[in-house]
Amino acid sequence: MTESPEAGRAGPARPPDGPIAGFEAVYRANFGCVTGFFARRSTDPQEVADLTSDTFVQAIRSFASFDAARGTPRAWLLGIARNVFARHCESRTRTQDVAARLAGRRPIDIDEAAELVVRIDAERAGRVLFERLASLSAADREVVELVDLIGLAPSEAAAALQVSPGALRIRLFRARQRLRAAAGQKKGED
Amino acid sequence: MGTFEDRLLERLVQEHGESLTQPPPSPARGRRRRVAVVSGFIGVAAATAAVVYLVGAGTPAYAVSRTADGVTVRISDLDALDAANAELRRLGVPVVAVPRTTDCRETFVTSSNDSTGDTVADPVGAGSEVTASIQGLPVGSTVVIAAEQEGDRVLLSLAKPVRGKIPGCLATLPTVPGGSVVSPRTPTTAGR
């Protein structure tokens, strides 16, 4: 489940042969990482498709201002994905009406759904692991996911979460401590 | 290369490709504003206080207020460290709060004796609030506040000022049963 560290570095910071080629390189290198992020949170192909689309729409709109000195493309994209998902949860709470929620979304066809189902299935183990982190706060869970599940370097995760490396370290340390304590408690109960 | 992946890229380029060729917004404005705030503070030295609450929390996440010769900092949630530091920067005071962790490997130079390391905080005076004096602080030095989670509260303690690079964290002092603190490590190893 830990994704290749190269994934985030594969996309060039600035396109060598035009901005479209540069964006495509970042897109191709990180598409799996972004869909995986959402497939750990939803088993609905349409929802994964919508959230992935929203993330890359924001990414292409702000690609010109992406600064490689402030983090890798992967950390940048996961930061966007995180915000997209937070807003999605917020609107889902506000809008219970499915029809209203789906308005304006492009429905995916059978082929696309099949492709996303494969990706969602591939994340099954990651989803189980992610659910096991339920004892942690949302903030702590995110840190463990980015560093221990996706394989981001702590500095990359700090960039994705828009916190300082120091704050990230303390959050990671605290989250791992709590996980260890929870695992110990469960072992004791067994 | 999948169907959805390809089609999404195609649509992105078709519908939003133009934005790739537009120049990015200039970040210069924010920088100029920050400099202006700092300069204004030095000239006027106005008393300022900031108190920020976490959403849904009853106690302030952090509070920063100016004193006659420095600043008083209170932090009740480690997640508020960044915000507290932003406020300290806004006030223009050379004070920074960093987390204290056992696995910290940061290196730094203290301003008092130019030795590497040994800026371990005095845990005796640790509390939820610290007051840092910046009077007589050498130019280029920064007062470091170590913040550590202890149960439900955050303990803050003052460390020696550092010169140059500011550490992102400080090492936790080993404690002995009963809560007393083992002597700080030697200047060359503390706060790795």
Side-chain angles (χ1 to χ4, degrees), chain B residues 29-150:
Chain B
R29 193 178 164 198
R31 182 177 286 265
R32 273 201 304 274
R33 185 167 176 267
R34 185 169 151 197
V35 170
V37 168
V38 172
S39 309
F41 174 75
I42 292 167
V44 182
T48 314
V51 179
V52 174
Y53 289 78
L54 284 180
V55 176
T59 52
Y62 76 88
V64 175
S65 57
R66 281 285 298 185
T67 61
D69 64 345
V71 67
T72 295
V73 177
R74 171 184 283 269
I75 296 173
S76 62
D77 190 309
L78 285 176
D79 286 341
L81 269 182
D82 285 344
N85 282 326
E87 181 61 20
L88 288 166
R89 280 196 301 274
R90 195 187 70 77
L91 290 177
V93 288
V95 179
V96 66
V98 301
R100 198 178 194 187
T101 63
T102 48
D103 60 349
C104 181
R105 298 290 181 270
E106 294 275 318
T107 57
F108 44 81
V109 176
T110 59
S111 62
S112 53
N113 55 7
D114 282 358
S115 61
T116 301
D118 198 16
T119 187
V120 285
D122 171 16
V124 177
S128 299
E129 181 179 294
V130 289
T131 297
S133 169
I134 56 170
Q135 216 164 34
L137 190 70
V139 175
S141 296
T142 306
V143 175
V144 180
I145 297 170
E148 184 177 22
Q149 189 78 40
E150 193 187 79

Side-chain angles (χ1 to χ4, degrees), chain A residues 44 47 50 88-105:
Chain A
D44 175 6
E47 197 169 35
D50 291 342
H88 169 72
C89 293
E90 217 173 274
S91 65
R92 191 165 51 182
T93 309
R94 276 201 314 265
T95 317
Q96 293 300 326
D97 180 0
V98 175
R101 222 168 53 218
L102 294 178
R105 302 281 192 177

Side-chain angles (χ1 to χ4, degrees), chain A residues 27-28 106 109 115 164, chain B residues 3-7 11 82:
Chain A
Y27 174 88
R28 295 285 186 205
R106 190 190 71 91
D109 65 22
E115 179 196 334
S164 69
Chain B
T3 311
F4 176 71
E5 183 180 340
D6 291 340
R7 288 180 192 165
R11 276 203 324 277
D82 285 344

Side-chain angles (χ1 to χ4, degrees), chain A residues 19-20 23-24 27-28 31 49 53 56-57 60-61 63-65 106 109 112 115-116 119 163-164 166 169-171 173-174, chain B residues 1-9 11-13 16 19-22 24-25 78-79 82 99-102 106 149 168-169:
Chain A
I20 292 177
F23 175 76
E24 181 173 355
Y27 174 88
R28 295 285 186 205
F31 181 82
S53 300
F56 282 111
V57 165
I60 195 169
R61 283 179 174 170
F63 188 67
S65 59
R106 190 190 71 91
D109 65 22
E112 291 173 315
E115 179 196 334
L116 287 169
R119 289 185 183 273
V163 298
S164 69
R169 265 192 296 269
I170 189 92
R171 205 183 277 180
F173 175 73
R174 200 170 52 180
Chain B
M1 194 181 295
T3 311
F4 176 71
E5 183 180 340
D6 291 340
R7 288 180 192 165
L8 176 59
L9 178 63
R11 276 203 324 277
L12 285 167
V13 173
H16 305 282
S19 55
L20 287 172
T21 53
Q22 286 168 359
L78 285 176
D79 286 341
D82 285 344
R100 198 178 194 187
T101 63
T102 48
E106 294 275 318
Q149 189 78 40
C169 58

Side-chain angles (χ1 to χ4, degrees), chain A residues 116-164:
Chain A
L116 287 169
V117 164
V118 170
R119 289 185 183 273
I120 289 167
D121 278 350
E123 280 303 326
R124 188 181 300 145
R127 212 159 36 243
V128 169
L129 213 59
F130 193 64
E131 281 161 11
R132 282 189 192 156
L133 303 178
S135 61
L136 300 178
S137 69
D140 287 354
R141 205 161 50 230
E142 271 183 330
V143 176
V144 174
E145 181 191 17
L146 292 182
V147 177
D148 295 331
L149 211 58
I150 297 179
L152 257 62
S155 57
E156 274 186 285
L161 297 174
Q162 294 182 321
V163 298
S164 69

